[in-house]
C-alpha cells in the first residue's frame, strides 16, 4: 500500500500518537534514508493507522492484530536492504503479539519496534492493556485493574533486543533522536514510547508525565553502551534496575545498547553464505515470458550427499 496520499486523521485531539508520527517522519527525513526503502508495518489499534498518515512516500502495511512483528520479519528477510519499522500498541505487541515480541528478540533481526504505550486498548474503548499497573483505574474501567503490568524494557532486554530505549510522545525532538539511533543500530531495537491517551487514560496524562520525566543522558555516570563482552551483565543489570524507577521520577532515553551480538542477517549469512545475494524480493520472477526463480545457489548449499 503506497501511503503518500491525503488521509483523514481520526486520532482524538491531543493523542500522543501525533507526536510519535511526527518524530518518525522527521527521523526518516533527517537520516536521509531513501524513503522508497522504508517500510512501516503496524498491527491493530489506534497506532495501527500510522502507515496511512505518513506524509513522506514510504510503503506501509497495516496487518493483523499482534502480527506486525511477524509480518515485518518476513519483509526484512525478503529484502534486508529495507529499513523496517514496526508500530504497535501495548495491547497489540505485548498482549496477543507477546510471543512474536519475544521471538524477535531471540533473533536480533535488524529492524525497529516502536511501542505506543498508553496502558489501554484505545480503539476498543479503553480496556486495561498489558502495561497498565495493577490497582489502577482509568476512567474507562468500572473497577481497578486486577492484572500485573508487563515491563517492556525488562522484557525486551531479557528477550535479546540489543537497543532498548524509552521515549515520550510529547518530546518529539528527543523521540526523533531515539528513532534515528534505533534505525542506525545494527540489530533489533525497541523504543517504548509513553503515549498519553487523553480519551481513556486519565491517570497517565501529559500533566502527570511532564512532572516526572527526566532524561537518562543527564545522569553523570549513565553509559548504556556495551563496548566489550565482559560488560554485558553489568549493563543489563543497570538497565533493568533503571526500568523499575516509576514514581516521582520516570526515566527516558537509551537504557541498553549492544552491537557485539550478531544480527539475524549475519547469522543467516554464516549459515547460508549465498542467502544475502539471492534474497527472495530481489529475484527475477519472469524471464523471456516464462516464470523463473534463480535460487540454484541456495539449493546447492542445501544439497545433502
Ligand atoms: Fe489516541 Fe486514545 Fe484516541 Fe486512540 S482512543 S486515538 S490512543 S487518544
Ligand atoms: Mg494501548
Amino acid at each position: 500500500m503506497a501511503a503518500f496520499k491525503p488521509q483523514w486523521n481520526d486520532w482524538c485531539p491531543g493523542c500522543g500518537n501525533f507526536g510519535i508520527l511526527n518524530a518518525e517522519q522527521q527521523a526518516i527525513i533527517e537520516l536521509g534514508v531513501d524513503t522508497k526503502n522504508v517500510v512501516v508495518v503496524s498491527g491493530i489499534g489506534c497506532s495501527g493507522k500510522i502507515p496511512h498518515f505518513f506524509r513522506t512516500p514510504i510503503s506501509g502495511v497495516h496487518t493483523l492484530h499482534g502480527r506486525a512483528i511477524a509480518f515485518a520479519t518476513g519483509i526484512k528477510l525478503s529484502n534486508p536492504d529495507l529499513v523496517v519499522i514496526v508500530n504497535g500498541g501495548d495491547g497489540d505487541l505485548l498482549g496477543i503479539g507477546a510471543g512474536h515480541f519475544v521471538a524477535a528478540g531471540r533473533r536480533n533481526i535488524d529492524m525497529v519496534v516502536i511501542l505506543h504505550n498508553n496502558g489501554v486498548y484505545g480503539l476498543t474503548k479503553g480496556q486495561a492493556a498489558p502495561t497498565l499497573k495493577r490497582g489502577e483505574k482509568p476512567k474507562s474501567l468500572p473497577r481497578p485493574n486486577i492484572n500485573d503490568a508487563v515491563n517492556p524494557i525488562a522484557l525486551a532486554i531479557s528477550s535479546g533486543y540489543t537497543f532498548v530505549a524509552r521515549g515520550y510522545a510529547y518530546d518529539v525532538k528527543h523521540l526523533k533522536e531515539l528513532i534515528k539511533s534505533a534505525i542506525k543500530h545494527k540489530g533489533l531495537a525497541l523504543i517504548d514510547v509513553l503515549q498519553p491517551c487523553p480519551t481513556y487514560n486519565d491517570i497517565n496524562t501529559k500533566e502527570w508525565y511532564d512532572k516526572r520525566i527526566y532524561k537518562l543522558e543527564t545522569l553523570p555516570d549513565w553509559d548504556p553502551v556495551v563496548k566489550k563482552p565482559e560488560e554485558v551483565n553489568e549493563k543489563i543489570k543497570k538497565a533493568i534496575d533503571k526500568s523499575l524507577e516509576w514514581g516521582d521520577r520516570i526515566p527516558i532515553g537509551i537504557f541498553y545498547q549492544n552491537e557485539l551480538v550478531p544480527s539475524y542477517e549475519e547469522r543467516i549469512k554464516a549459515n547460508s553464505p549465498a542467502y544475502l545475494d539471492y534474497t527472495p524480493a530481489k529475484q527475477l520472477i519472469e524471464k523471456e515470458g516464462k516464470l523463473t526463480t534463480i535460487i540454484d545457489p541456495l539449493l546447492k548449499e542445501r544439497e545433502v550427499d
Side-chain angles (χ1 to χ4, degrees), residues 39-159:
V39 185
V40 174
V41 184
S42 66
I44 298 298
C46 297
S47 63
K49 299 173 187 171
I50 207 162
H52 302 255
F53 301 151
F54 264 77
R55 299 185 66 191
T56 44
I58 54 125
S59 295
V61 196
H62 188 169
T63 69
L64 302 175
H65 197 21
R67 309 296 169 225
I69 287 180
F71 209 101
T73 301
I75 293 170
K76 184 71 184 178
L77 290 181
S78 294
N79 185 355
D81 292 343
L82 297 173
V83 172
V84 180
I85 305 174
V86 173
N87 283 262
D90 35 14
D92 193 47
L93 291 174
L94 300 175
I96 188 171
H100 296 299
F101 185 91
V102 170
R106 294 174 52 223
R107 299 188 178 111
N108 194 32
I109 192 158
D110 188 14
M111 59 188 195
V112 179
V113 177
I114 297 180
L115 171 67
H116 299 228
N117 181 352
N118 56 16
V120 292
Y121 287 82
L123 192 69
T124 51
K125 303 264 185 272
Q127 298 87 346
T131 52
L132 190 72
K133 310 274 183 249
R134 176 160 49 90
E136 287 191 337
K137 195 191 102 47
K139 63 181 174 184
S140 54
L141 295 187
R143 298 207 178 90
N145 178 26
I146 58 171
N147 294 315
D148 280 311
V150 171
N151 174 340
I153 302 284
L155 182 62
I157 293 173
S158 50
S159 302

Side-chain angles (χ1 to χ4, degrees), residues 10-17 46 118 120 122-123 195-200:
D10 54 5
W11 287 330
C12 312
C15 175
N17 283 337
C46 297
N118 56 16
V120 292
L123 192 69
Q195 179 242 314
C197 166
T199 300
Y200 294 116

Side-chain angles (χ1 to χ4, degrees), residues 253-271:
I254 299 174
F255 282 72
Y256 179 71
Q257 184 171 14
N258 182 358
E259 285 193 305
L260 304 181
V261 180
S263 68
Y264 198 53
E265 294 83 334
E266 289 169 338
R267 298 175 202 184
I268 288 179
K269 194 171 181 185
N271 201 26

